[in-house]
């Protein structure tokens, strides 16, 4: 059983950025998707810092509903011990979790995609004028630094002061701010590859 759960988690990470799932989820898969997403939505993702922690959380939510996976396999006329079939089903589930906008899963997938040995770097601070929020699958807060260049920072998890930007940055546009951040290397599903991003740790309006 553990072998197949590990296999499915692997294809989630590697397969989420590929083409859309070929078929709409059937009733059994939809029930599994709902159960996994509900479980993950109860997790405080802001406290998850490493790929291992993210994997452990996902494993907990998945194993809590692993009985439903057998129903999904049966629904698709697949043998639970068929590696190829379970690869396909695992990839479909991962894609459909993203397709249904299960934000908790997407955030966990990014953290799970961190390369081994490439965890967060030391914290750094950038000062500049807040400009806008770009939505590229995730929210990126953009500021203009003291040299006039735009810098982009990914809003991956809750951070001190994040509640100030729930409705955008219009209220603070043009105001000077300190953004504390750290660089991490993650797998971005939409970009289909590993990229270094600056994750926001906190924002202080000056």
């Amino acid at each position: 059983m553990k072998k197949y759960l590990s296999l499915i988690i692997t294809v989630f990470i590697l397969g989420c950025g590929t083409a859309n799932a070929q078929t709409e989820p059937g009733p059994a898969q939809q029930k599994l998707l709902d159960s996994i997403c509900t479980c993950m939505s109860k997790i405080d993702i802001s406290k998850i810092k490493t790929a291992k922690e993210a994997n452990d959380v996902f494993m907990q939510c998945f194993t809590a509903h692993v009985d439903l996976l057998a129903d999904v396999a049966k629904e698709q006329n697949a043998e639970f011990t068929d590696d190829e079939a379970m690869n396909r089903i695992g990839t479909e589930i991962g894609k459909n979790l993203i397709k249904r906008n299960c934000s908790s899963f997407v955030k966990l997938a990014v953290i799970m995609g961190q390369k081994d040995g490439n965890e967060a770097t030391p914290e750094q601070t950038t000062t500049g004028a807040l400009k806008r929020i770009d939505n590229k699958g995730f929210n990126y807060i953009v500021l203009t630094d003291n040299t006039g260049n735009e810098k982009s920072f990914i809003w991956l998890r809750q951070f001190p002061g994040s509640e100030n930007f729930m409705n955008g940055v219009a209220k603070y546009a043009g105001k000077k701010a300190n953004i504390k951040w750290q660089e991490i290397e993650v797998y971005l599903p939409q970009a289909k590859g590993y990229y270094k991003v600056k994750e926001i740790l906190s924002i202080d309006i000056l």
Side-chain angles (χ1 to χ4, degrees):
M1 178 71 72
K2 185 176 180 180
K3 168 188 174 184
Y4 297 105
L5 292 178
S6 298
L7 177 66
I8 287 171
I9 289 176
T10 298
V11 297
F12 274 179
I13 296 171
L14 297 179
C16 288
T18 59
N20 291 333
Q22 297 299 309
T23 58
E24 290 298 318
Q29 185 180 142
Q30 188 60 60
K31 185 176 181 180
L32 177 59
L33 294 173
D34 291 341
S35 298
I36 293 175
C37 191
T38 297
C39 176
M40 289 187 292
S41 68
K42 298 176 182 178
I43 304 296
D44 185 354
I45 296 178
S46 66
K47 296 180 179 179
I48 300 173
K49 303 300 182 183
T50 67
K52 183 181 182 304
E53 291 174 352
N55 273 285
D56 289 345
V57 167
F58 181 77
M59 180 71 81
Q60 290 171 13
C61 285
F62 200 97
T63 53
H65 305 286
V66 71
D67 56 312
L68 298 177
L69 181 59
D71 293 336
V72 175
K74 183 177 180 181
E75 182 176 69
Q76 299 195 19
N77 297 316
E79 292 293 333
F80 198 73
T81 54
D82 184 337
D83 286 358
E84 183 176 349
M86 297 311 293
N87 258 333
R88 174 177 53 77
I89 292 174
T91 301
E92 283 186 9
I93 293 172
K95 291 173 185 175
N96 285 328
L97 280 169
I98 292 178
K99 188 176 179 181
R100 77 192 297 276
N101 295 319
C102 182
S103 60
S104 297
F105 169 74
V106 174
K107 292 176 182 177
L108 277 178
V110 170
I111 302 170
M112 286 192 289
Q114 290 181 359
K115 287 185 176 180
D116 292 339
N118 285 281
E119 301 295 349
T121 57
E123 298 176 2
Q124 301 185 55
T125 301
T126 298
T127 301
L130 290 174
K131 192 167 185 180
R132 65 179 185 275
I133 293 181
D134 290 337
N135 190 312
K136 302 175 182 177
F138 294 94
N139 283 333
Y140 290 80
I141 293 183
V142 180
L143 61 70
T144 303
D145 66 15
N146 295 329
T147 65
N149 295 319
E150 288 190 356
K151 301 294 183 180
S152 182
F153 305 86
I154 189 171
W155 181 350
L156 182 60
R157 290 170 278 200
Q158 183 179 16
F159 59 85
S162 61
E163 65 277 0
N164 295 324
F165 307 100
M166 293 294 191
N167 297 316
V169 298
K171 180 179 177 181
Y172 302 99
K175 291 190 176 181
K176 195 172 183 180
N178 278 336
I179 295 185
K180 184 182 293 185
W181 56 274
Q182 60 187 7
E183 186 174 72
I184 57 175
E185 187 170 14
V186 298
Y187 182 83
L188 296 178
Q190 289 192 343
K192 304 179 184 179
Y194 285 95
Y195 294 88
K196 289 183 178 180
V197 296
K198 297 178 177 67
E199 181 189 4
I200 299 171
L201 300 178
S202 67
I203 298 180
D204 294 317
I205 306 298
L206 303 179

